């Protein structure tokens, strides 16, 4: 290392930046919960089954991972199939490259057990099992700063686990829809191939039906759910080197994925396949609701319940911390001159676009 890096950049810029980022994300229980919920929102824009019935949805993912049930109803797993899927998802850049097959299986086994009535209960389990992050693990880091890396290791694994869980669920959901809309016949295979090309997926003529389904599904997931491998050189430089913008990667990914949601939805909505057209319109509608609808509905509901109007919201905006001045203010309770509110911009993932 040169003198500047060793004695100036690392101690004055890099380490303080690392500490601030860590305590605003992985060491914050609220940030951990928000990460899991917002990752689920990306999934929900195009897929809804896991939201409607969490245990049943997770059981479906379990089956596609290679799981099944014996005559007594006990869950069993084909680890060969699960490992093959894991390898494919790693190669396609869907999950962290160091995710372990057996630990992925553990997360979905817990989720599909039916012991969790909703995702809040599952998140509690996920965070309480931070020794393996609810089924996900990452390899050990380099020796420098090893103590700090060990200290943040478990919370960081939990943070990563939430993203990987929803990405795998999204991949399975997209694969199922493609198989439902394009059957495994000569005509269906040709239509599937043409659909993938229209989307922009890189397909090879001699790939079989299942391979093309997986390729197209992984393409959709990569381009509609934030992926830090796609942030670009300029943004990556700003994110890593400058302390003035420690979280610039996320909003840039929101912009990229929102654009891709609209593009992919438009391609699907103009397809010759009826089921695909419905999916395209559903995806565009979901994006519109996630961007403009839900936030406006929640704010208007809060105003109605507390007898507030737009002028009151603007007055509240003058009182909130500086980082919430331009946020979506959702009033929760007004009593004795005190206002409890939610900063909607911190959990509505597409608020960056609407603002």
């Amino acid at each position: 290392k040169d003198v500047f890096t060793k004695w100036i950049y690392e101690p004055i810029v890099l380490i303080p930046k690392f500490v601030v980022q860590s305590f605003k994300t992985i060491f914050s229980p609220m940030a951990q919960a928000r990460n899991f919920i917002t990752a689920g929102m990306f999934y929900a824009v195009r897929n809804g089954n896991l939201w409607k019935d969490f245990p049943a949805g997770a059981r479906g993912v379990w089956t596609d991972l290679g799981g099944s049930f014996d005559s007594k109803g006990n869950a069993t797993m084909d680890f060969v199939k699960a490992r093959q899927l894991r390898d494919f998802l790693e190669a396609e850049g869907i999950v962290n490259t160091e995710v372990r097959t057996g630990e992925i299986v553990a997360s979905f086994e817990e989720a599909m057990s039916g012991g969790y009535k909703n995702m809040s209960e599952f998140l509690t389990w996920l965070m309480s099992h931070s020794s393996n992050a609810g089924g996900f693990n990452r390899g050990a880091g380099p020796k420098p700063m090893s103590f700090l890396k060990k200290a943040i290791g478990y919370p960081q694994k939990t943070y990563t686990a939430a993203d990987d869980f929803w990405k795998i669920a999204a991949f399975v959901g997209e694969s199922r829809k493609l198989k439902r809309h394009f059957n495994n016949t000569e005509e269906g295979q040709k239509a599937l191939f043409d659909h993938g090309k229209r989307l922009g997926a890189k397909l090879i003529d001699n790939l079989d039906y299942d391979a093309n389904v997986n390729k197209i599904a992984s393409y959709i997931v990569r381009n509609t759910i934030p992926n830090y491998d796609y942030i670009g050189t300029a943004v990556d430089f700003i994110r890593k080197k400058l302390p003035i913008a420690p979280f610039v990667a996320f909003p840039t990914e929101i912009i990229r994925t929102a654009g891709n949601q609209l593009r992919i939805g438009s391609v699907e909505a103009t397809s010759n396949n009826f089921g695909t057209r419905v999916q395209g319109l559903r995806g565009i509608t979901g994006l519109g609701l996630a961007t403009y609808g839900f936030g406006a509905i929640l704010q208007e509901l809060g105003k109605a319940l507390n007898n507030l109007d737009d002028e009151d919201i603007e007055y509240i905006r003058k009182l909130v911390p500086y980082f919430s001045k331009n946020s979506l203010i959702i009033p929760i309770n007004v009593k004795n001159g005190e206002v409890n509110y939610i900063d909607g911009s911190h959990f509505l993932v597409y608020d960056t676009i609407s603002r």
Side-chain angles (χ1 to χ4, degrees):
K1 295 181 181 180
D2 56 56
V3 175
F4 174 80
T5 300
K6 184 176 181 179
W7 298 105
I8 299 178
Y9 175 68
E10 285 191 350
I12 297 178
V13 176
L14 186 60
I15 294 177
K17 177 173 175 282
F18 159 79
V19 172
V20 170
Q21 285 181 314
S22 297
F23 278 92
K24 290 186 71 173
T25 53
I26 62 174
F27 287 132
S28 167
M30 290 300 296
Q32 290 275 10
R34 184 184 68 192
N35 180 55
F36 187 81
I37 294 170
T38 55
M41 290 180 182
F42 291 115
Y43 168 90
V45 170
R46 289 183 57 87
N47 303 273
N49 292 334
L50 209 62
W51 286 95
K52 295 176 183 176
D53 185 345
F54 189 65
R59 280 195 294 271
V61 176
W62 166 267
T63 301
D64 283 350
L65 279 172
S68 60
F69 299 90
D70 60 23
S71 58
K72 296 181 179 180
N74 297 319
T76 61
M77 169 55 62
D78 180 350
F79 279 90
V80 174
K81 181 179 179 181
R83 188 174 296 109
Q84 289 173 344
L85 179 59
R86 186 280 311 269
D87 292 342
F88 175 79
L89 293 176
E90 287 182 358
E92 291 293 310
I94 301 300
V95 297
N96 185 281
T97 55
E98 296 175 37
V99 174
R100 296 180 181 176
T101 303
E103 293 172 341
I104 292 176
V105 169
S107 280
F108 284 109
E109 185 174 18
E110 289 289 337
M112 61 89 188
S113 66
Y116 310 101
K117 296 178 181 178
N118 52 51
M119 278 171 288
S120 296
E121 292 184 9
F122 177 68
L123 179 61
T124 300
W125 173 84
L126 188 70
M127 295 182 67
S128 68
H129 284 66
S130 59
S131 61
N132 70 343
F136 296 80
N137 208 337
R138 298 179 66 183
K143 291 182 179 180
M145 300 176 69
S146 59
F147 174 78
L148 287 176
K149 285 191 176 291
K150 287 180 181 179
I152 71 168
Y154 293 158
Q156 188 176 26
K157 292 170 188 175
T158 303
Y159 206 81
T160 302
D163 289 332
D164 287 347
F165 179 90
W166 289 113
K167 285 178 180 177
I168 295 170
F171 170 80
V172 172
E174 296 295 343
S175 300
R176 287 183 164 188
K177 284 180 289 189
L178 290 168
K179 289 181 177 180
R180 187 165 62 245
H181 300 156
F182 302 94
N183 55 42
N184 191 7
T185 62
E186 184 176 351
E187 182 180 357
Q189 291 176 14
K190 184 179 184 305
L192 174 67
F193 185 86
D194 293 340
H195 176 63
K197 286 295 187 181
R198 289 185 69 221
L199 289 176
K202 295 181 180 179
L203 304 178
I204 302 173
D205 290 323
N206 61 355
L207 284 181
D208 62 21
Y209 174 76
D210 289 329
N212 277 331
V213 166
N214 290 341
K215 278 288 198 180
I216 296 171
S218 63
Y219 174 84
I220 293 173
V221 173
R222 280 199 312 271
N223 286 283
T224 57
I225 297 181
N227 187 321
Y228 288 100
D229 289 339
Y230 288 81
I231 62 174
T233 304
V235 174
D236 190 47
F237 176 83
I238 295 173
R239 179 176 65 88
K240 290 180 177 178
K241 300 299 184 183
L242 301 182
I244 59 174
F247 295 106
V248 71
F250 187 75
T252 60
E253 273 299 279
I254 293 297
I255 295 171
R256 183 186 74 88
T257 55
N260 283 328
Q261 289 271 16
L262 184 60
R263 176 182 64 82
I264 290 173
S266 299
V267 171
E268 291 174 329
T270 56
S271 170
N272 294 326
N273 183 287
F274 175 75
T276 302
R277 288 201 303 272
V278 172
Q279 171 57 39
L281 294 173
R282 181 183 298 158
I284 293 173
T285 302
L287 177 64
L289 287 173
T291 304
Y292 299 103
F294 292 138
I297 291 171
L298 291 173
Q299 186 181 67
E300 290 301 321
L301 181 62
K303 288 161 57 178
L305 291 175
N306 293 284
N307 195 28
L308 302 176
D309 56 24
D310 291 338
E311 291 185 1
D312 294 319
I313 295 296
E314 291 307 311
Y315 179 75
I316 294 172
R317 195 180 299 279
K318 295 178 182 178
L319 305 178
V320 300
Y322 73 93
F323 51 79
S324 295
K325 293 293 184 183
N326 297 317
S327 296
L328 176 69
I329 303 298
I330 303 174
I332 300 300
N333 184 44
V334 179
K335 188 175 182 181
N336 298 326
E338 294 185 358
V339 180
N340 294 320
Y341 72 95
I342 293 176
D343 187 334
S345 298
H346 281 268
F347 74 92
L348 294 171
V349 291
Y350 286 111
D351 181 74
T352 299
I353 305 296
S354 62
R355 283 191 288 169

